[in-house]
Amino acid sequence: MSRTNNRRRFIKKLSASSMIFGGALFSSCGSLKKATNKEYKKPLVISTWNNHEANQMAWDILNSGGAILDAIEKGIHIPENNPNDTSVGYGGRPDRDGFVTLDACMMDHLGNAGSVTFMSGFKNPISVARKVMEETPHVILSGIGAEEFAINQGFKRENLLTSDSEKALEEWKVKSKYAPVINSERHDTIGMIAIDRQGNLSGGCSTSGLAYKMRGRVGDSPIIGAGLFVDNDIGAATATGLGELVLKTLGTFLVVEFMRSGLTPQEACKRAVLRIADKYGGKDNQVGFIAIAKNGDYGGYSLQKGFQYIVHNSDKGVLFNSASFYS
Ligand code: SD4
């Protein structure tokens, strides 16, 4: 699509969105769900994609009185430990040279943040990111430094490249064509944001990044303000999809700033996606945002259809199909 056409589509979407307060989404069972929920139940846990088990784990911990950071960390361990989840932790697809390198971050209600980037050999980067937040004066540790820190903190080095990933890499090498997948098996990078009973917000994000990326590439997921942002006065947001687009727009910071200006989480996610579409098009790429507001309202929006997110504000999770810019 030409930039002019894209611009026209953007303006049309923008004016439509400013006429509708909130917007609506379809739940997985097809019934119309108001994204601007009025019950504002707390606690609340919401994650990117159909990470049902992870979200359930976090909800169970939070709902039974556990700490919000424990809930998020333990929830995110589920896809990190799952060899069949090829976008996160163990079993994550490698870069084009065969190295599995992981990115993760955490941010809490006090504005503390910790992150690891380009880290190999540890299944649970979210836990190392939490240690960076809690045990160091820094926000980001990268590569060898992150790995040495993990060892010093007692984490065990492991091989993260499964035989399935090795096989997939050999198949990929036949053409060696680098093309980010739009909705990778619908369980991609996990971004999780939550609000506890006291109304405090926190979040975490973990990924193996894009399959067959260049060695050394770091995406949006471990970057505060790109893959995750929390402002306890306003709300929290997390992202999935092509990290380069999220990085260049500081996507989740933007979502939270839109909420600060009075937009609902749903509308704020939509406006951030519109910004990406306006600046970069993104016709062949996916980006999805989810957000929660301080009052427990939540929403999501994506560039392409196919993005889903899972919400727990009761014992049973509800899977939403996100509304999208391109239909
Ligand atoms: C990245 N944002 O590394 C991640 C990948 C992702 O859904 O979210 N895929 O760019």
Side-chain angles (χ1 to χ4, degrees), residues 33 49 51 80 135 219-220 229 268 281 286 291 294 309 317:
K33 284 270 168 193
W49 304 104
N51 273 301
E80 284 184 340
E135 306 293 337
D220 61 313
F229 195 67
Q286 176 65 299
K294 183 74 178 167
Y309 57 95

Side-chain angles (χ1 to χ4, degrees), residues 54-73:
N55 221 60
Q56 184 75 50
M57 166 71 85
W59 163 264
D60 289 343
I61 293 173
L62 204 51
N63 194 42
S64 58
I68 190 166
L69 290 181
D70 294 339
I72 291 168
E73 182 182 359

Side-chain angles (χ1 to χ4, degrees), residues 174-193:
V174 174
K175 288 195 181 149
S176 293
K177 190 169 174 292
Y178 178 68
V181 181
I182 285 190
N183 295 317
S184 175
E185 300 168 40
R186 303 211 170 168
H187 56 77
D188 226 293
T189 293
I190 182 159
M192 180 183 284
I193 45 183

Side-chain angles (χ1 to χ4, degrees), residues 36-290:
T36 309
N37 59 318
K38 291 295 175 210
E39 306 108 70
Y40 300 149
K41 281 194 215 144
K42 293 171 203 163
L44 167 77
V45 186
I46 161 168
S47 299
T48 52
W49 304 104
N50 188 4
N51 273 301
H52 183 272
E53 273 182 71
N55 221 60
Q56 184 75 50
M57 166 71 85
W59 163 264
D60 289 343
I61 293 173
L62 204 51
N63 194 42
S64 58
I68 190 166
L69 290 181
D70 294 339
I72 291 168
E73 182 182 359
K74 298 263 158 35
I76 289 180
H77 281 175
I78 289 185
E80 284 184 340
N81 292 339
N82 180 357
N84 299 318
D85 190 322
T86 56
S87 308
V88 183
Y90 176 54
R93 290 289 187 244
D95 64 21
R96 57 190 66 179
D97 297 314
F99 298 97
V100 180
T101 64
L102 306 177
D103 296 337
C105 73
M106 261 202 157
M107 190 164 187
D108 74 8
H109 71 288
L110 298 171
N112 297 311
S115 144
V116 290
T117 75
F118 187 48
M119 188 179 77
S120 297
F122 299 88
K123 249 185 194 169
N124 298 126
I126 194 68
S127 298
V128 186
R130 181 172 178 183
K131 289 284 186 198
V132 172
M133 176 170 85
E134 292 176 342
E135 306 293 337
T136 82
H138 305 305
V139 173
I140 303 177
L141 290 180
S142 192
I144 292 172
E147 293 162 31
E148 284 174 359
F149 172 72
I151 294 281
N152 289 338
Q153 291 292 321
F155 292 93
K156 200 170 114 236
R157 190 181 277 285
E158 286 169 273
N159 172 30
L160 304 182
L161 188 67
T162 58
S163 52
D164 184 58
S165 284
E166 270 183 288
K167 208 168 132 231
L169 176 63
E170 289 315 310
E171 281 163 17
W172 177 82
K173 279 183 183 164
V174 174
K175 288 195 181 149
S176 293
K177 190 169 174 292
Y178 178 68
V181 181
I182 285 190
N183 295 317
S184 175
E185 300 168 40
R186 303 211 170 168
H187 56 77
D188 226 293
T189 293
I190 182 159
M192 180 183 284
I193 45 183
I195 181 163
D196 65 18
R197 275 217 190 83
Q198 292 70 42
N200 286 321
L201 304 162
S202 291
C205 190
S206 182
T207 190
S208 51
L210 300 177
Y212 319 126
K213 60 195 174 186
M214 287 176 70
R215 181 137 174 82
R217 182 262 187 194
V218 171
D220 61 313
S221 305
I223 305 300
I224 300 301
L228 175 74
F229 195 67
V230 177
D231 181 327
N232 202 48
D233 294 329
I234 304 298
T238 188
T240 181
L242 184 65
E244 281 70 8
L245 292 178
V246 180
L247 281 165
K248 287 188 282 194
T249 49
L250 274 185
T252 56
F253 180 72
L254 192 59
V255 171
V256 172
E257 290 308 297
F258 281 139
M259 289 195 279
R260 192 188 306 279
S261 72
L263 298 186
T264 63
Q266 164 77 16
E267 196 59 27
C269 291
K270 183 171 184 172
R271 287 288 286 274
V273 166
L274 295 188
R275 174 74 60 85
I276 290 173
D278 182 39
K279 298 274 183 203
Y280 299 104
K283 191 170 67 68
D284 300 319
N285 306 124
Q286 176 65 299
V287 169
F289 292 110
I290 56 173

Side-chain angles (χ1 to χ4, degrees), residues 14-25:
L14 187 61
S15 48
S17 73
S18 49
M19 284 184 308
I20 306 164
F21 186 69
L25 297 174

